[in-house]
Amino acid sequence: MPQGGDAWRGTTVLAGTITAGTQVVLLREVLSAFLGNELIIGVLFFDWLALTGIGALLARRWSSRLPLFAIVPCVLAALCVFPPLTFAGFRFLPLLVAPPGSMLDIWLFLAGALLALAPLCLVSGAIFTLLIRVSTTSGTSNPVGSVYAWEAMGSLAGGALFGFLLFDIIPSQDLLLILCAGAGLSGAVLFSCRRMRSVAVALLPVVLMLLIGRSVWDADMLTFALRYPGHTVLAHRETPFGLLTVTRLGEQTMVYANNVPLLISGNTSATEEIVHFALVQRPHSPKVLIAGGNPAELVPEVLKYTGSSVRCVEENPWLRRAEREFLPFPENGRATYVEGDLRSILLSPSGHYDVIIIVAPEPSTLQSNRTYTREFVHRARLALTPAGVLCMLLPSSAEYAGDDARRVRAILRNTLADQFEHVQILPAGHDVFLASDSTLRTDIAGGIAEAGVPTTYVNPYYVQDDLLSERSRQLEASLGKDTPRNSDARPALMLAQLRYWLRHFAMEYWIPVLTGLIIVFVLFVRTDRMGIGVMTAGCGGIVLELMVLMIVQVSFGNVYKMSGGLIALYMAGMGAGAFAAGRAALAPRWYAGMQCCLALMLLLAAWLQPGISSGSTPGMAGLVPCLFLGSFGAGAVFTLTSRMAALDLVASGSRLYGYDLLGSAVGALLVGPLLLPLLGVQSVANAAAGLVVVGTVISLSSPVWRVHEKA
């Protein structure tokens, strides 16, 4: 760690790296502990950004009381202590307040996340204010913009290290602990050099605990007994698709993705239902494609049909390796097993399959929703023979389906009906959706008997055809025709599924959103005109980032490495913009130009979305400079505004930083979980671009600009 007047630069970069890495680790914990849908992720980002902004605003009142020589070592000590404590809170608290196998109540999550994040985020915001104090005494021109730029560079390093550079080499939680230990060791050295040896001695045990603690206590192993009581853990690994865990309980083998059951062996009734409800429609030498599910049990059922062949697709290669080791599936000349993105595989020559069966999680996230959209259904239709059948599944709506459950099923039924002439819903152990351009039958037991296929459960003793047909007619009659269609650009099914999911906790969808908006509104009305420009730029920047991540996620699948690269690209653009604006002319035209650049990139990203969704490589290539230039504009806006600050750079810099993060918090809360599914990419981009323009106009009306023009 550099000494003297330049120490703040290295400290700022390290702070950005550690905070970005902590975000990555905590997002993984949210995925594991609480299903990790877009609403929960949006709440986590809102809490993080808003609390950090509030921390920066509050630090203005007390930062001058800390001796200047102690700021850098104190910052390093905070970076050593607070991230590991926050990680421990997210790892262990859910297991202590929720019984094993149960779903953590959302109210507990909202309160727990706020309390667990508050110390780290408030300190992180205060660190920005403190580092401005140091930079103002080191002869740095534009200290506020410089701290902002160096922090962005640190976040770039954190996104790159945790997102893709070291992902396959070292687990993200271990990398975070190493960086925190490094910060603590640097802080101890600086405390010692500045004759504060008692503090250095107190910090060293924390460093040693972080360095040796991981080799003695495995955080994952410590929680297995609580999370999987009675299970034998066979395998556990962090993958780009999340945490993958394989356990055995008695004779049953289970595979968990982010601690949610994904595959369970021995579930014969569900397996037969998945296969035979679809294959009985086209029983003569069917060519079958199955995406997802457990091939060890699905494939033997398909091969019972004379002349059949099956191709099993799995996009997660780590899951496929676990299947081969713990759930071995039959090697047969009529069965093939491939790895890769299903949407890309469906672009192969058309008219190839008689039956396509999709075994996917509920559409409560962008990742799972992408296999239920109009664009996906269109690709599946092209991959089917003229009389082919597409089969999708949702959990059973049982004897009574409430309004939210009916809306979910209506959206999926209507999305399928836009592409196929016939759609049939068969409510059994699952709600089985069948779609085809040819006729579909509901007499499943009769079809099984005609095909002469031996089954254990799906037979006249298990399935009563007349009752199944009647339940199907009742369910169909209860579904509305006037619903939005689920698409890549407007994931309406995900929004409906989230609303349905929230009913389990007696919560209305708008409650967390309204709460956040009220808090931000109170702060917004107290903001001056220059602050409004920064706040709207921060909101526009996070909207652009989330929108690009959504487009890539939906179009290319669960590509966390690519997502990490995109986040790093965004931070690189912000840092470059902040550095460039520190040297540019301080004129309204440059400020307006950077704001307009951000607004235009929002519109351009939305314009590129349809081409990217259809697999266009030029469209994806255009998205990269779009993200960089938009973030460049957002970073430049902050620095240009900070250069017009009053004499008290610490107070004005922390105030602008707080406004920037509060604007980003609003975007994070509203865009992913609400506005994108509700309005679609194009409408959100138009609204965000308009908000940026309005903020620019309000900001340029400030008399501060006229003072600088006269100067």
Side-chain angles (χ1 to χ4, degrees):
M1 179 62 61
Q3 302 287 327
D6 290 333
W8 68 270
R9 290 189 177 87
T11 304
T12 305
V13 172
L14 185 59
T17 303
I18 290 177
T19 53
T22 305
Q23 283 185 357
V24 172
V25 173
L26 293 186
L27 278 175
R28 193 196 74 168
E29 293 304 309
V30 168
L31 287 170
S32 302
F34 201 74
L35 300 183
N37 57 50
E38 267 65 24
L39 175 62
I40 296 304
I41 293 173
V43 169
L44 180 72
F45 273 121
F46 173 80
D47 287 348
W48 182 287
L49 294 167
L51 288 170
T52 303
I54 292 171
L57 292 172
L58 294 177
R60 294 180 301 168
R61 303 181 183 276
W62 58 264
S63 61
S64 60
R65 302 174 188 173
L66 189 66
L68 192 65
F69 69 88
I71 287 179
V72 169
C74 284
V75 167
L76 292 170
L79 293 174
C80 173
V81 173
F82 284 97
L85 288 178
T86 306
F87 166 72
F90 270 79
R91 169 58 62 91
F92 293 103
L93 285 180
L95 297 173
L96 299 177
V97 299
S102 66
M103 198 161 45
L104 183 66
D105 189 277
I106 190 171
W107 295 104
L108 286 175
F109 170 80
L110 294 176
L114 191 64
L115 292 174
L117 285 174
L120 171 62
C121 293
L122 291 174
V123 167
S124 178
I127 284 174
F128 185 87
T129 301
L130 292 171
L131 290 174
I132 293 176
R133 271 197 66 204
V134 178
S135 66
T136 56
T137 63
S138 63
T140 304
S141 61
N142 183 31
V144 177
S146 296
V147 173
Y148 187 83
W150 285 111
E151 183 190 52
M153 291 296 101
S155 298
L156 163 63
L161 290 174
F162 286 84
F164 59 97
L165 288 180
L166 297 181
F167 187 89
D168 294 325
I169 300 174
I170 180 172
S172 55
Q173 66 187 44
D174 291 352
L175 178 59
L176 177 63
L177 292 179
I178 291 172
L179 288 174
C180 290
L185 185 61
S186 301
V189 171
L190 287 179
F191 276 125
S192 179
C193 292
R194 293 170 187 182
R195 298 181 180 180
M196 301 173 69
R197 292 184 175 85
S198 60
V199 182
V201 171
L203 193 57
L204 284 176
V206 179
V207 175
L208 292 175
M209 185 180 299
L210 293 178
L211 289 175
I212 67 176
R214 178 62 175 88
S215 61
V216 178
W217 297 291
D218 188 324
D220 291 325
M221 295 299 294
L222 286 173
T223 58
F224 284 155
L226 294 173
R227 198 179 298 277
Y228 309 113
H231 291 236
T232 300
V233 177
L234 304 177
H236 178 77
R237 179 168 182 180
E238 180 184 10
T239 79
F241 296 81
L243 287 177
L244 189 66
T245 308
V246 184
T247 72
R248 181 166 292 149
L249 181 62
E251 299 298 321
Q252 203 166 46
T253 301
M254 284 156 280
V255 179
Y256 294 84
N258 295 319
N259 297 315
V260 176
L262 184 65
L263 302 177
I264 301 176
S265 66
N267 194 352
T268 306
S269 60
T271 300
E272 290 188 353
E273 185 178 283
I274 290 170
V275 172
H276 298 298
F277 274 46
L279 264 67
V280 76
Q281 310 293 331
R282 307 292 181 263
H284 303 295
S285 302
K287 294 181 179 179
V288 183
L289 175 70
I290 299 179
N294 182 4
E297 298 184 350
L298 294 171
V299 169
E301 293 299 319
V302 173
L303 296 182
K304 290 178 180 179
Y305 290 81
T306 303
S308 62
S309 62
V310 58
R311 190 183 193 196
C312 294
V313 179
E314 177 53 58
E315 66 175 352
N316 185 345
W318 288 267
L319 176 57
R320 179 50 54 87
R321 292 171 202 163
E323 290 173 346
R324 290 185 182 277
E325 184 174 358
F326 302 106
L327 296 168
F329 35 79
E331 298 296 339
N332 188 293
R334 294 156 55 197
T336 57
Y337 307 93
V338 297
E339 298 171 6
D341 178 42
L342 177 61
R343 289 172 68 129
S344 301
I345 290 171
L346 289 177
L347 289 176
S348 58
S350 61
H352 187 66
Y353 303 105
D354 298 296
V355 178
I356 296 178
I357 300 175
I358 309 299
V359 186
E362 298 172 71
S364 59
T365 67
L366 285 174
Q367 167 61 21
S368 56
N369 183 78
R370 68 190 295 267
T371 56
Y372 296 88
T373 64
R374 179 174 54 202
E375 291 81 0
F376 174 83
V377 173
H378 177 70
R379 291 192 187 187
R381 183 173 182 267
L382 294 178
L384 286 166
T385 57
V389 177
L390 173 64
C391 174
M392 292 181 167
L393 309 163
L394 287 178
S396 173
S397 53
E399 297 298 328
Y400 172 75
D403 292 340
D404 295 300
R406 285 198 299 268
R407 182 169 178 80
V408 169
R409 282 146 185 80
I411 292 174
L412 180 55
R413 192 273 310 274
N414 296 337
T415 301
L416 290 168
D418 279 354
Q419 298 293 323
F420 291 95
E421 293 184 16
H422 302 277
V423 177
Q424 190 73 53
I425 309 175
L426 302 179
H430 294 83
D431 286 344
V432 181
F433 288 73
L434 302 173
S436 178
D437 287 329
S438 188
T439 57
L440 296 166
R441 63 192 303 174
T442 60
D443 56 332
I444 303 301
I448 289 289
E450 291 176 13
V453 174
T455 58
T456 303
Y457 292 98
V458 180
N459 52 48
Y461 303 101
Y462 175 83
V463 179
Q464 300 179 36
D465 286 339
D466 55 347
L467 179 59
L468 181 64
S469 298
E470 179 59 27
R471 293 181 63 191
S472 176
R473 283 192 295 269
Q474 291 177 358
L475 181 57
E476 286 275 359
S478 69
L479 302 183
K481 304 289 185 181
D482 185 20
T483 65
R485 274 42 173 179
N486 193 40
S487 66
D488 287 350
R490 186 184 177 188
L493 188 59
M494 185 189 81
L495 180 62
Q497 184 68 35
L498 286 177
R499 287 174 171 167
Y500 180 34
W501 172 74
L502 284 175
R503 296 292 184 185
H504 292 290
F505 310 104
M507 173 182 275
E508 295 294 337
Y509 188 82
W510 48 266
I511 289 178
V513 175
L514 180 62
T515 303
L517 287 178
I518 291 173
I519 296 172
V520 174
F521 177 76
V522 172
L523 296 169
F524 185 83
V525 296
R526 301 181 61 184
T527 307
D528 60 22
R529 280 176 277 185
M530 297 303 298
I532 288 175
V534 171
M535 186 178 288
T536 55
C539 183
I542 199 71
V543 170
L544 175 63
E545 181 181 11
L546 293 176
M547 195 165 64
V548 170
L549 287 172
M550 172 194 166
I551 292 171
V552 173
Q553 173 81 354
V554 170
S555 301
F556 298 97
N558 210 340
V559 284
Y560 283 119
K561 288 190 177 182
M562 186 182 293
S563 298
L566 291 172
I567 293 173
L569 178 65
Y570 180 84
M571 301 311 302
M574 287 193 67
F579 278 124
R583 295 166 175 78
L586 189 58
R589 65 179 183 276
W590 287 111
Y591 177 86
M594 292 297 97
Q595 292 273 32
C596 288
C597 177
L598 173 58
L600 288 173
M601 293 305 104
L602 281 161
L603 299 176
L604 179 59
W607 181 76
L608 291 172
Q609 186 274 329
I612 297 171
S613 182
S614 64
S616 169
T617 302
M620 182 59 196
L623 204 61
V624 172
C626 177
L627 180 61
F628 180 84
L629 291 174
S631 60
F632 184 96
V637 166
F638 179 88
T639 297
L640 289 171
T641 307
S642 69
R643 288 175 61 190
M644 296 186 296
L647 294 178
D648 189 350
L649 291 173
V650 175
S652 59
S654 60
R655 178 176 58 85
L656 291 175
Y657 185 69
Y659 292 155
D660 179 47
L661 292 182
L662 288 171
S664 299
V666 176
L669 182 65
L670 293 180
V671 173
L674 179 63
L675 294 183
L676 275 173
L678 185 64
L679 303 176
V681 169
Q682 189 64 61
S683 296
V684 168
N686 293 341
L691 180 66
V692 170
V693 171
V694 170
T696 304
V697 173
I698 293 174
S699 179
L700 289 175
S701 68
S702 172
V704 175
W705 282 108
R706 291 192 290 274
V707 171
H708 276 272
E709 283 183 315
K710 291 178 182 179

